[in-house]
Amino acid sequence: MTGTSSQSSPGEAAGRDDLVAGAGAGAGIRVEAGAEVGDGGRARPVWSRDFALFFVARAVARLGDTMLPVALAAGLLQHGYGAGAVGLAMASTAAAFAGLVVFGGVIADRFSTRKLMIGADLVRLGTQALAAVLFYSGHVVLWEICVIGLVNGVAGAVFQPGVASTVPRLASDVQAANGAIRIAESAAQLAGPAAAGLLVGFASPGGVFAAHATTYGVSALCLLLLRLPPLIRTGAPDCTATGAFKADLVEGWREFRARTWLWGVIAVWCLYMIAVWGPTVPLVATEVVQQHGPRAYGLINSALGAGTVVGGFLALRLRPRRMLRAGAFALFAFVGFPATVGAGFGVPAMAAGAAVAGAGMSFWGVMWATSVQTQVPSDVLNRIHAYDVAGSLAMMPVGQALAGPAATALGANHVLLVSAAMSLVVPTVLLAVPAIRGLIRADARGADRPHAQDGTADAAPGRTHPERR
């Protein structure tokens, strides 16, 4: 799922990392599922000044996030820690993020999403700058790195819900916008690990953390310059009322639970996080760094990024009627990533497996994000996306934290091979659920309101609300 930073939800991988119809522009008039018009009645194009700023913000942030696993693995290993420590450091961020993102979704539906995202970026600029100082000084204590990761997870929980509603507010073709962002993030993933490997090799892990901090500063600047169309909703609840906050939380859960295809994917994704993504990320990092060095790991992650670029281009061109079914078939390709590392193949084979895996994951990510953004009413989209991300990532810290003990008991290669086998089980289960494989894309139905089918709720037209600035 996509998957924030190094995390991966059904809608992002990515950031893993990594990590999802939206509210309308101007008067917020809905003309068709997935398309919005402004006051002049003209459909908003994908590319505009504001979408370009958001595009750059996402690409630059992703560049930094894909550098982070290299820095953590190389830096902690350099200071005497092992795979378990790398897993715990990653899990601290994931646990805070997954535990608080639901509350972030409620906050995003009640306040300015743009300001919340800017604030979250500035917090992470500070924490990563602090991490850079610690690694430069040689004072690296695991609990301090975990605390920094925890704060980053809280900031990410505030940031992430606003991403889902921002895309459809800036462009009418939601799939094309998601595809373009996916390509940008993938290109960043292509460059990020390689750059991180070079920085680690020629400088130190502290240099990677400093560069990561800078990317958050650039993202915050782009979002500061961004102009989001105002949203209007009559009778908005009092932002300070605890009861209203709880009611919004409950309403989001009710809307989430009403869509079988939505909670069905999230339930399956919990298995994916425990058995596939959670152990794969730290174990691939430590295995490759220990056996082939940080530059090889950077090369393999860059291959993963190249694959996700290809998947993004495929998602721009292909418009399947049943998006989740097509995306689930693409997920079978992920087996190449853990399988090649677990089998002990050489770096070229591992890079090829990573590229194929990236293409499949990227295509799934666009299909999933577009489905959520076009099938869900706009005034609950941030909350639904928050439940999506929370459910998707709830089990990832479990998988990451168990990666070290499992590798100690069974061997890292065996754990990765089990993850490869489970990466085939997950899409099989997705395809076995009628509500998931049978969901028809919103614009293919040619109706304002998505019809209930296969357990899918009949989504009401999106209501809009003012964004308090």
Side-chain angles (χ1 to χ4, degrees):
M1 307 227 104
T2 136
T4 87
S5 65
S6 59
Q7 298 109 13
S8 175
S9 76
E12 10 183 316
R16 194 199 324 53
D17 278 54
D18 17 309
L19 8 218
V20 55
I29 303 171
R30 182 179 296 274
V31 293
E32 61 176 343
E36 309 276 345
V37 297
D39 293 329
R42 294 173 298 179
R44 300 186 309 282
V46 171
W47 287 105
S48 64
R49 170 194 175 274
D50 292 316
F51 180 75
L53 285 169
F54 186 70
F55 178 88
V56 172
R58 299 305 303 142
V60 172
R62 183 62 175 166
L63 177 68
D65 291 342
T66 56
M67 297 168 71
L68 185 58
V70 180
L72 277 175
L76 290 175
L77 289 172
Q78 187 180 93
H79 286 82
Y81 295 100
V86 177
L88 285 173
M90 292 181 177
S92 64
T93 300
F97 180 85
L100 297 174
V101 70
V102 169
F103 301 100
V106 176
I107 294 171
D109 271 333
R110 300 168 72 84
F111 296 97
S112 165
T113 55
R114 186 178 68 94
K115 289 183 178 179
L116 289 172
M117 289 191 287
I118 292 171
D121 273 341
L122 292 177
V123 168
R124 290 180 288 186
L125 186 157
T127 56
Q128 295 309 88
L130 175 60
V133 171
L134 294 178
F135 276 95
Y136 270 128
S137 66
H139 179 76
V140 178
V141 180
L142 181 60
W143 73 264
E144 294 176 342
I145 302 303
C146 289
V147 168
I148 289 174
L150 189 72
V151 175
N152 286 340
V154 174
V158 174
F159 182 98
Q160 185 62 34
V163 173
S165 62
T166 299
V167 173
R169 289 172 70 181
L170 295 176
S172 59
D173 190 339
V174 179
Q175 182 178 335
N178 282 321
I181 291 173
R182 177 69 60 173
I183 291 170
E185 292 178 340
S186 301
Q189 184 169 337
L190 179 63
L198 290 173
L199 282 172
V200 169
F202 293 104
S204 73
V208 183
F209 283 99
H212 192 196
T214 302
T215 63
Y216 284 126
V218 173
S219 175
L221 178 60
C222 289
L223 294 172
L224 182 64
L225 298 174
L226 181 67
R227 293 192 300 265
L228 281 177
L231 300 177
I232 301 173
R233 179 174 68 183
T234 59
D238 180 6
C239 293
T240 61
T242 302
F245 187 93
K246 181 179 179 181
D248 281 354
L249 197 64
V250 171
E251 181 188 10
W253 172 250
R254 184 171 59 248
E255 293 282 350
F256 173 80
R257 193 176 58 179
R259 293 165 173 80
T260 304
W261 61 269
L262 185 61
W263 64 257
V265 170
I266 303 308
V268 175
W269 216 254
C270 288
L271 173 64
Y272 192 85
M273 289 294 102
I274 293 177
V276 182
W277 189 263
T280 294
V281 173
L283 291 183
V284 166
T286 52
E287 284 296 292
V288 174
V289 170
Q290 286 177 339
Q291 296 179 17
H292 304 281
R295 296 184 191 179
Y297 179 63
L299 174 64
I300 291 168
N301 253 342
S302 294
L304 184 70
T308 54
V309 170
V310 173
F313 276 113
L314 289 174
L316 279 176
R317 296 186 61 84
L318 302 179
R319 292 180 176 263
R321 179 177 174 82
R322 290 176 172 83
M323 302 177 73
L324 296 184
R325 183 172 67 178
F329 276 115
L331 271 180
F332 282 107
F334 190 79
V335 66
F337 191 33
T340 54
V341 179
F345 291 162
V347 173
M350 288 189 282
V356 174
M361 198 67 159
S362 179
F363 187 82
W364 159 262
V366 174
M367 296 300 104
W368 171 253
T370 304
S371 296
V372 173
Q373 291 166 358
T374 57
Q375 301 276 354
V376 173
S378 59
D379 61 340
V380 294
L381 181 55
N382 287 326
R383 278 167 284 170
I384 289 289
H385 180 62
Y387 277 111
D388 160 20
V389 174
S392 303
L393 300 179
M395 294 296 104
M396 186 172 70
V398 176
Q400 290 178 328
L402 293 176
T408 301
L410 304 174
N413 289 346
H414 288 92
V415 176
L416 286 170
L417 290 176
V418 171
S419 295
M422 293 303 298
S423 71
L424 299 177
V425 172
V426 167
T428 301
V429 175
L430 290 174
L431 291 169
V433 180
I436 297 172
R437 70 171 184 267
L439 183 70
I440 299 174
R441 61 183 300 131
D443 53 6
R445 286 198 296 267
D448 272 356
R449 298 177 61 183
H451 303 295
Q453 61 170 51
D454 297 323
T456 303
D458 186 22
R463 293 166 296 173
T464 54
H465 65 281
E467 187 175 39
R468 297 169 179 84
R469 298 181 182 275

